[in-house]
């Protein structure tokens, strides 16, 4: 966790607290208070940032009690309310062959306690480049629905992340839903991350979703976390794999290509050099697993 | 900021308390309610020593605003033993398996072990380690803790 260390035993900041039970109430509060307000779901990122004095909202709007935002259901797409707890999302999709990259990622996200507090919406809106739910949601072509007092809009997740801890959310706007279209037949997905200890934020993470026909890669989506200011898809690598016969030579070449496409930094968790080297290794491991799973799903 | 009244059920006892918006659950538990079994380690959600159960689910009390638990059932480590003082099987197992040195991580570890066994009556070592990965121990090297949880399952 970056930011200067101050007191963490108590929360020094003063603010007004609201706990709306309907979306309308929440949006009205957001509209009234604009950038002086912060939406709070689990609080696992927000309260840490407040303790470190990185942010100082005057109003906290707890959205955990808005029932409409806590639904997760199958339909034309898989729809996940923004306030669905990470553990509830994990239990819902565990074993679902269509979303293995996401269940892998949720399993590796922090620890049980944080997953009983944190939400998928919160993980995305906090917009850490290391957000574990982001690479799988990117490879599954997820869309996010945002709402404000003025209306709603839906956009692809890859247009949502703008910079470190910055999203496309305008003043008065909040995320209400994450939409996952179902992958096509013959698709397999996987996610892995490297980290220091079990519950750590990633040094580097990778999600792949690949569509397979025997030994041909029909198409793939490849996303990385912690290698740029935002979670990113490596489209050059996806293009190089399209409709190709999968061989070890090709995969090694793609690994090298990925190394040249990313822009990692050195920080408290790892170095740019290590991240760059691991990008290739992680790609090979994740692709291998996603490829196997695609074969099982053909 | 104004104080607001909330009602909680703490270890099966109904309590009414008055808290400010920026009061954290961990401090309300330790100071206003006098239960110091729950510890504040890092205060940022990384060590797990502040673990409590809210409506049966383990969460981190150092990152929970007291106001947000209005109406909830809270279980701290003190709530694990029976009213007559009989220790829970996990508590017995921790003692019998040398799983306690300084004791600081112990309440969090015991609560996580208890949570795991309610969901998975005979966990493997890997499953135990995955379930406690949010709880840091600086003394024991985890071996005794994992063994204690594994053996508690057999009691």
């Amino acid at each position: 966790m970056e930011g200067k260390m101050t007191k963490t035993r108590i929360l020094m900041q003063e603010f007004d607290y609201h706990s709306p039970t309907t979306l309308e109430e929440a949006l009205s509060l957001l509209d009234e208070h604009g950038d002086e307000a912060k939406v709070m779901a689990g609080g696992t990122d927000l309260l840490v940032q407040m303790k470190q004095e990185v942010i100082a909202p005057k109003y906290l709007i707890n959205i955990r009690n808005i029932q409409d935002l806590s639904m997760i259901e199958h339909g034309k797409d898989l729809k996940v309310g923004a306030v669905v707890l990470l553990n509830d999302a994990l239990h819902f999709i565990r074993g679902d062959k269509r979303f293995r990259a996401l269940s892998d990622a949720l399993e590796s996200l922090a620890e049980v306690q944080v997953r009983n507090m944190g939400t998928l919406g919160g993980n995305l809106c906090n917009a850490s480049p290391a957000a574990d739910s982001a690479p799988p949601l990117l490879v599954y072509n997820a869309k996010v629905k945002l709402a404000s007092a003025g209306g709603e809009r839906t956009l692809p997740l890859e247009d949502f992340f703008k910079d470190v801890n910055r999203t496309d959310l305008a003043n008065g706007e909040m995320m209400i839903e994450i939409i996952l279209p179902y992958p096509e037949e013959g698709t397999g997905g996987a996610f892995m991350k490297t980290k220091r200890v079990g519950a750590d934020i990633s040094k580097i993470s990778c999600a792949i979703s690949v569509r397979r026909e025997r030994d041909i890669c029909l198409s793939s989506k490849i996303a990385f976390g912690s290698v740029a200011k935002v979670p990113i898809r490596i489209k050059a690598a996806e293009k190089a794999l399209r409709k190709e016969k999968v061989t070890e030579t090709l995969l090694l070449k793609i690994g090298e290509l990925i190394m040249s496409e990313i822009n990692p930094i050195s920080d408290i968790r790892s170095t740019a050099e290590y991240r760059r080297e691991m990008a290739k290794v992680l790609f090979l491991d994740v692709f291998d697993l996603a490829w196997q799973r695609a074969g099982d799903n053909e | 900021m104004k104080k607001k009244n909330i009602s909680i059920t703490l270890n099966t006892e109904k309590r009414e308390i008055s808290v400010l918006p920026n009061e954290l659950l961990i401090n309300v538990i330790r100071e206003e309610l006098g239960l110091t079994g729950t510890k504040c380690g890092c205060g940022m959600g990384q060590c797990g020593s502040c673990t409590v159960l809210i409506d049966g689910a383990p969460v981190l009390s150092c990152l929970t605003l007291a106001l947000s638990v209005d109406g909830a059932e809270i279980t701290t480590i003190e709530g694990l033993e029976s009213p007559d003082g009989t220790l829970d099987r996990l508590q017995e197992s921790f003692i019998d398996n040398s799983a306690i040195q300084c004791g600081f991580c112990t309440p969090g570890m015991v609560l996580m072990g208890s949570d795991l066994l309610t969901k998975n009556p005979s966990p493997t070592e890997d499953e135990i380690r995955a379930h406690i990965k949010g709880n840091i121990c600086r003394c024991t090297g985890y071996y005794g803790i994992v063994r204690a949880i594994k053996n508690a399952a057999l009691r």
Side-chain angles (χ1 to χ4, degrees):
Chain A
M1 312 255 172
E2 288 79 359
K4 69 179 170 81
M5 288 304 300
T6 54
K7 299 175 202 19
T8 57
R9 194 180 62 78
I10 57 176
L11 186 52
M12 296 283 286
Q13 295 184 17
E14 299 196 357
F15 48 85
D16 284 337
Y17 170 92
H18 296 278
S19 189
T21 52
T22 68
L23 180 58
E24 288 68 40
E25 253 186 277
L27 294 178
S28 165
L29 284 163
L30 266 178
D31 190 46
E32 194 187 331
H33 299 301
D35 63 1
E36 293 198 313
K38 274 278 183 190
V39 163
M40 181 174 84
T44 54
D45 285 315
L46 196 79
L47 289 179
V48 173
Q49 289 165 15
M50 286 172 71
K51 285 184 179 189
Q52 294 176 319
E53 297 177 6
V54 171
I55 54 170
K58 294 215 175 61
Y59 303 91
L60 279 192
I61 304 169
N62 178 2
I63 58 170
R64 279 280 299 275
N65 298 313
I66 302 175
Q67 292 285 54
D68 286 345
L69 301 184
S70 320
M71 316 285 284
I72 175 166
E73 53 199 355
H74 286 297
K76 190 173 125 284
D77 304 299
L78 172 60
K79 292 201 170 156
V80 186
V83 165
V84 169
L85 296 177
L86 294 163
N87 256 349
D88 291 342
L90 176 55
H91 290 135
F92 192 86
I93 62 167
R94 197 180 245 147
D96 188 332
K97 290 195 168 128
R98 296 168 294 184
F99 295 115
R100 298 293 296 270
L102 184 58
S103 50
D104 287 350
L106 292 178
E107 196 91 55
S108 80
L109 202 159
E111 71 250 25
V112 171
Q113 294 95 314
V114 168
R115 295 199 300 265
N116 283 335
M117 303 160 79
T119 62
L120 212 50
N123 192 229
L124 296 176
C125 292
N126 182 55
S128 162
D132 285 337
S133 71
L137 290 172
L138 284 173
V139 304
Y140 288 136
N141 289 323
K143 290 180 286 212
V144 292
K145 194 186 274 186
L146 315 176
S148 68
E152 292 178 0
R153 60 184 177 116
T154 302
L155 70 162
L157 182 62
E158 61 180 312
D159 297 338
F160 180 70
F161 300 118
K162 293 297 172 194
D163 204 333
V164 178
N165 296 131
R166 280 222 192 320
T167 68
D168 201 48
L169 282 169
N171 253 338
E173 238 181 352
M174 60 181 271
M175 185 179 289
I176 59 173
E177 192 173 74
I178 299 116
I179 300 152
L180 279 111
Y182 296 104
E184 298 181 60
E185 290 281 314
T187 305
F191 167 95
M192 290 182 195
K193 70 194 238 196
T194 60
K195 54 215 166 124
R196 294 165 298 182
V197 294
D200 207 5
I201 292 169
S202 72
K203 298 182 187 220
I204 175 172
S205 64
C206 172
I208 297 179
S209 175
V210 62
R211 225 180 117 218
R212 173 179 184 174
E213 196 172 77
R214 287 185 305 278
D215 58 353
I216 306 286
C217 171
L218 294 176
S219 66
S220 67
K221 303 263 181 336
I222 301 167
F224 275 81
S226 307
V227 298
K229 291 187 181 200
V230 297
I232 52 167
R233 270 177 52 193
I234 319 284
K235 298 200 172 167
E238 295 173 359
K239 192 155 168 246
L241 265 169
R242 192 174 180 75
K243 303 224 171 74
E244 294 286 336
K245 180 165 161 202
V246 168
T247 61
E248 198 177 313
T249 317
L250 175 65
L251 292 177
L252 286 169
K253 215 178 85 192
I254 307 266
E256 299 283 332
L257 170 61
I258 290 171
M259 285 172 72
S260 67
E261 288 282 317
I262 58 175
N263 193 21
I265 59 167
S266 297
D267 64 11
I268 57 168
R269 278 180 288 275
S270 188
T271 61
E273 185 189 20
Y274 180 82
R275 286 172 159 132
R276 206 179 289 280
E277 290 290 335
M278 279 307 294
K280 177 172 76 179
V281 175
L282 209 56
F283 163 74
L284 292 170
D285 285 347
V286 178
F287 188 89
D288 196 46
L289 185 53
W291 189 244
Q292 264 181 62
R293 288 173 174 172
D296 297 338
N297 291 348
E298 264 180 292
Chain B
M1 290 193 307
K2 275 188 311 188
K3 281 209 170 199
K4 189 169 182 270
N5 290 332
I6 62 169
S7 36
I8 57 171
T9 306
L10 178 67
N11 297 332
T12 74
E13 246 186 72
K14 282 212 165 3
R15 303 292 294 264
E16 303 271 332
I17 44 177
S18 193
V19 294
L20 289 169
N22 67 353
E23 278 190 67
L24 298 166
L25 182 59
I26 182 160
N27 296 322
V28 169
I29 288 173
R30 288 179 55 85
E31 291 163 30
E32 267 144 82
L33 300 169
L35 297 179
T36 55
T38 310
K39 312 297 183 198
C40 185
C42 67
M44 341 203 303
Q46 294 191 356
C47 75
S49 62
C50 69
T51 302
V52 297
L53 306 182
I54 294 182
D55 295 333
V59 296
L60 302 173
S61 61
C62 76
L63 295 181
T64 302
L65 294 180
L67 278 184
S68 73
V69 301
D70 188 13
E73 276 181 27
I74 300 174
T75 308
T76 65
I77 185 66
E78 290 88 351
L80 218 60
E81 67 188 51
S82 308
D84 68 357
T86 313
L87 294 181
D88 179 90
R89 61 178 172 161
L90 264 158
Q91 290 170 310
E92 295 279 7
S93 190
F94 266 63
I95 294 167
D96 295 343
N97 284 281
S98 313
I100 307 167
Q101 288 188 35
C102 81
F104 201 83
C105 76
T106 306
M109 289 288 188
V110 170
L111 283 172
M112 290 314 292
S114 173
D115 180 63
L116 177 62
L117 295 183
T118 63
K119 302 184 163 76
N120 182 349
S122 50
T124 63
E125 183 175 327
D126 278 349
E127 286 167 336
I128 294 171
R129 286 181 182 272
H131 211 76
I132 61 170
K133 68 171 158 145
N135 293 67
I136 296 177
C137 173
R138 296 294 279 123
C139 300
T140 68
Y142 302 96
Y143 182 66
I145 293 169
V146 172
R147 192 173 55 190
I149 296 171
K150 198 148 209 280
N151 289 353
L154 305 169
R155 287 187 189 235

